[in-house]
Amino acid sequence: MVSEVHGRGNLAAPSSPGPAEPIIRAENLHKRFGDHCVLRGVNLAFPRGTTTVILGGSGGGKSVFMKHLIGLLRPDQGAVLVEGLDLTTLRGAALDRVRAKFGMVFQGAALFDSMNVFDNVAFPLREHRRGLSAAQIERIVADKLAILGLEGSESKFPADLSGGMRKRVGLARAVVLDPQIVLYDEPTTGLDPIMTAQVDEMISTAAARLGVTSVVISHDVASAFAIADYVAFLHDGQIVAHDRPEAVRACEHPFVRRFLDVRRLENPCETR
């Protein structure tokens, strides 16, 4: 049976968990901005090497939750454990070491317009691996571009790339330092179905070829069910369902049912 909650707390793990131990665990996260309570006791575990997609409506707390995972926001109550280390207690260099385990793919790719593909991907290496030679940087960048099907694009600039290719370059830059975890912020927003399928393939390729743990914030149901090992629904500051995709499809929580039914009506020909 799907893990679901009807307004009385959250479940940290799905009812059919995989064999891997969680690399990240959010425990009883609460966050308020003034009078607005955004997170109300969120518990969620992310097994190592899996892809979890977090679905929910606009303003439901997805982006705020993601910022807690990487330590950009601190909860009013609760903890975020990354390989057993609580981000909420870390400062300075200790926090930076844990953040180095993460890569981030932004909604609009956030590439430097004045840099070509090679220099965009090489940027983190030049900033954080200053002992590397030019030849070593070239080899690492070429390797990441090849994994993501971007060979031959090194001299192109962001303006010359399609939306899907910009996302791939953004991912190449996010993984060039070999993070263990990659966070994706609404990676398919604004893309047509063909580009969306390409981005889905990109996320799956990164998970398979690089062995990363992927956390995807999205409102795209078709994309979520195409790539996810686990799907979680965040609604009104709480996790109301969390399980394998096939179990979540059968979830009877009112918000989940309404969310899935509305998306199905919006995309009646959807087969993915």
Side-chain angles (χ1 to χ4, degrees):
M1 178 181 295
V2 68
S3 298
E4 58 178 287
V5 182
H6 295 271
R8 56 175 183 80
N10 294 257
L11 297 179
S15 61
S16 52
E21 287 296 315
I23 187 171
I24 317 172
R25 186 183 292 276
E27 298 183 346
N28 194 34
L29 290 187
H30 290 257
K31 186 64 177 181
R32 177 185 295 273
F33 296 100
D35 294 332
H36 182 41
C37 188
V38 180
L39 302 179
R40 300 190 297 121
V42 172
N43 293 284
L44 196 59
F46 301 89
R48 187 184 299 274
T50 62
T51 297
T52 299
V53 180
I54 302 172
L55 290 168
S58 299
K62 301 189 303 294
S63 294
V64 170
F65 177 62
M66 177 176 276
K67 289 176 182 178
H68 280 79
L69 295 183
I70 201 169
L72 294 177
L73 288 175
R74 295 185 183 276
D76 300 326
Q77 179 183 335
V80 175
L81 305 176
V82 179
E83 294 192 314
L85 294 175
D86 184 358
L87 265 65
T88 65
T89 67
L90 301 179
R91 300 290 188 279
L95 178 58
D96 290 341
R97 283 192 293 273
V98 176
R99 282 179 174 163
K101 300 177 186 290
F102 289 83
M104 181 80 188
V105 180
F106 298 95
Q107 183 172 322
L111 301 178
F112 297 109
D113 292 336
S114 61
M115 294 183 183
N116 62 23
V117 167
F118 180 90
D119 289 331
N120 262 287
V121 178
F123 183 82
L125 293 170
R126 291 168 174 158
E127 287 294 305
H128 300 289
R129 302 283 192 272
R130 302 206 172 194
L132 293 176
S133 67
Q136 288 173 313
I137 291 175
E138 185 174 351
R139 177 183 57 78
I140 294 169
V141 171
D143 178 60
K144 296 301 188 287
L145 292 177
I147 288 173
L148 294 169
L150 289 165
E151 305 98 320
S153 65
E154 291 85 350
S155 62
K156 293 182 179 179
F157 284 82
D160 303 321
L161 304 175
S162 67
M165 286 188 71
R166 284 195 293 272
K167 299 279 188 179
R168 286 177 181 266
V169 176
L171 176 56
R173 186 178 62 188
V175 301
V176 76
L177 295 175
D178 294 322
Q180 298 178 49
I181 306 151
V182 179
L183 307 180
Y184 298 85
D185 181 18
E186 299 281 5
T188 62
T189 294
L191 300 181
D192 63 40
I194 293 174
M195 289 297 182
T196 294
Q198 291 177 1
V199 171
D200 291 345
E201 179 189 2
M202 170 192 86
I203 295 171
S204 297
T205 297
R209 296 282 301 276
L210 301 173
V212 296
T213 302
S214 304
V215 180
V216 184
I217 297 294
S218 183
H219 64 269
D220 187 331
V221 170
S223 179
F225 285 95
I227 64 174
D229 296 302
Y230 296 100
V231 174
F233 270 88
L234 182 61
H235 172 60
D236 196 24
Q238 295 186 314
I239 300 297
V240 296
H242 179 212
D243 215 317
R244 297 284 188 177
E246 59 273 17
V248 171
R249 282 188 187 276
C251 176
E252 293 301 325
H253 187 280
F255 172 78
V256 176
R257 284 265 52 86
R258 187 166 65 251
F259 194 96
L260 294 178
D261 290 344
V262 167
R263 292 305 189 272
R264 193 176 297 113
L265 288 172
E266 291 173 347
N267 300 280
C269 297
E270 186 177 283
T271 58
R272 288 196 299 144

